[in-house]
Amino acid sequence: MNTKIKNAFKYAFPYTIPIFAGFWFLGLTYGIYMNVSGFSFWYPLLMSITIFGGSLEFIAVSMLLAPFAPLQVFIMTLMIQARHLFYGISMLDKYKDTGWKKPYLIFGMCDETFSINYTANIPKDIDRSWFYFFVTLLNHFYWVSGATIGGIVGGLFTFNTEGLEFVMTAMFLVIFLEQWLKEKRHISEWTGLAASIVCLLVFGADNFLIPTMICVLIVLTALNKPLEKKGEL
């Protein structure tokens, strides 16, 4: 490893340490959840390598257990991961001229990696493309290793895992609370809550999620410009 690569790794690694703790906890939980759902450790290993989307991977467990519904899976996946389209637009200039690393940087741009690579103050003596690469690679490794170990541990030990699937609900609840704390008027949160309740009553517990997402998208798109003018978004 030459000096340029080594320096980039040393500078990138400390940025990823907080991500390591969170990814390992959620990754272990995800691996155990897959195991108790009837899947061997190969499933969380391969899915964490190829999908690398925490919330989507948790939901993929129920998708694999449900009847074959490719259209519903496609729409669900698109709605959950659509935010990465905006991440990509924000990183166009930063990922320019990164050479062979660019495809992997695009693939591995999760929420946490985007936050680090977009906001990090990189010194001139550190190669930017290698810094971006190591941040992405390390975060990816944390998630894959956590999910794989969770899948193995879940099969080696017998313990009560009742309620473990609630981790997915808890994760989305934390995301909701973070969004609540960031906004002043809570327009998007109240929209999501109202749409969820209405669609739950209309479509039932098994079919309300996609209509809810569509309603939220339509309402927030319609309110986007008025709220921007008032400075509430």
Side-chain angles (χ1 to χ4, degrees), residues 97-108:
D97 300 324
T98 52
W100 59 268
K101 307 178 194 71
K102 191 172 184 178
Y104 180 68
L105 294 176
I106 294 171
F107 161 77

Side-chain angles (χ1 to χ4, degrees), residues 48-49 52 104 107 136-145:
S48 59
I49 290 175
F52 191 37
Y104 180 68
F107 161 77
T136 306
L137 181 65
L138 286 168
N139 287 343
H140 194 186
F141 172 74
Y142 300 152
W143 180 257
V144 172
S145 59

Side-chain angles (χ1 to χ4, degrees), residues 2-156:
N2 62 39
T3 303
K4 179 177 70 173
I5 299 175
K6 188 183 297 183
N7 289 341
F9 178 83
K10 289 181 178 178
Y11 193 76
F13 176 67
Y15 279 90
T16 68
I17 292 176
I19 311 303
F20 167 74
F23 271 22
W24 250 50
F25 175 76
L26 280 176
L28 286 167
T29 305
Y30 165 64
I32 295 172
Y33 178 40
M34 285 220 72
N35 183 273
V36 299
S37 297
F39 300 97
S40 72
F41 79 94
W42 288 106
Y43 281 85
L45 169 61
L46 295 176
M47 289 175 66
S48 59
I49 290 175
T50 56
I51 298 176
F52 191 37
S55 54
L56 180 60
E57 288 181 52
F58 274 99
I59 292 175
V61 179
S62 59
M63 290 179 178
L64 290 172
L65 295 173
F68 184 62
L71 180 59
Q72 184 174 356
V73 170
F74 172 77
I75 295 174
M76 179 77 72
T77 302
L78 181 62
M79 296 297 291
I80 293 172
Q81 302 296 94
R83 65 188 185 281
H84 292 110
L85 296 172
F86 301 97
Y87 292 170
I89 294 172
S90 302
M91 297 300 290
L92 285 175
D93 289 335
K94 292 182 179 292
Y95 283 176
K96 186 170 61 177
D97 300 324
T98 52
W100 59 268
K101 307 178 194 71
K102 191 172 184 178
Y104 180 68
L105 294 176
I106 294 171
F107 161 77
M109 192 168 57
C110 62
D111 299 357
E112 294 77 9
T113 298
F114 167 76
S115 298
I116 294 174
N117 285 344
Y118 186 78
T119 60
N121 184 17
I122 306 172
K124 292 183 179 180
D125 60 333
I126 300 296
D127 185 278
R128 299 179 67 87
S129 67
W130 279 109
F131 174 86
Y132 296 146
F133 176 80
F134 283 125
V135 168
T136 306
L137 181 65
L138 286 168
N139 287 343
H140 194 186
F141 172 74
Y142 300 152
W143 180 257
V144 172
S145 59
T148 304
I149 293 172
I152 295 173
V153 169
L156 295 178

